[in-house]
Amino acid sequence: MNKNILRLYLIAASSSFENPLKDLETAFKSGVTCFQLREKGDNIKSGQELLDFALEVKALCKKYAVTFIVNDNAELAESVEADGIHIGQDDVKPELLPEYFSDKIIGLSVGNLNELKKSSLDRVSYLGIGPVYSTLSKADAGEAIGTEGLKEVVQQTALPTAAIGGITEKNYKDCLESGADGICVISAITGSDNIEQTVTALLQ
Ligand code: TZP
Ligand code: MG
């Protein structure tokens, strides 16, 4: 895959924004390069409602040439013909994903060097590495590895990498300087009261 896709990777659920389609459009228009629909947390959609929402998001992604990834839901990803899927350490193993994903992007979360070493990476396209900093967005995110931990993982893989966890306008450059190809954020953008300004700052 083209690692530039990872430059500014937004993750959100349908409930992450007050006006999700409007706010996502603002984020995409401002320069987000990749979007992951991660339907977790409170007020989550399911069934037809989730499918409809995912299709609307996919259309927005297409309009702004944003790569569209679905978190850990192969059926949904396939139904909406997403560009790929993102899986965690405890999700379906990459090699057991359906045939649909054979030419799609497969992202894998890696918490530290130890997890990298025990992961089967044959079909993995990129790694999400973290949490780099502490985060309130994922209860079971594990211990923050800091930029030193990030560097360790980045140096041990040839795969494209995105740093994740507690990344803000203040620290994102440290992640890029540690060798990550891009940054993944939830709250920096979902909690922003000026999405355009935040996205622009994270792309500087
Ligand atoms: N995986 C590791 S940390 C994290 C995920 C999904 C949450 C990142 O959210 P935030 O708000 O950018 O810290
Ligand atoms: Mg998962």
Side-chain angles (χ1 to χ4, degrees), residues 15-16 21 51 60 76-77 97 102 104 111 132 160 168 172 177 196:
S15 60
S16 299
L21 294 173
L51 183 63
L60 266 186
L76 179 64
L97 283 166
S102 61
K104 297 293 180 289
V132 177
T168 65
Y172 80 95
E177 280 162 13
E196 185 185 349

Side-chain angles (χ1 to χ4, degrees), residues 157-178:
T157 184
L159 289 169
T161 56
I164 186 167
I167 296 173
T168 65
E169 287 173 44
K170 291 204 171 74
N171 59 26
Y172 80 95
K173 278 192 181 147
D174 297 331
C175 296
L176 298 176
E177 280 162 13
S178 299

Side-chain angles (χ1 to χ4, degrees), residues 38 130-131 135 137-138 141 164-167 184-187:
R38 181 174 179 268
T135 177
S137 304
K138 188 175 192 242
I164 186 167
I167 296 173
C184 275
V185 302
I186 300 180
S187 54

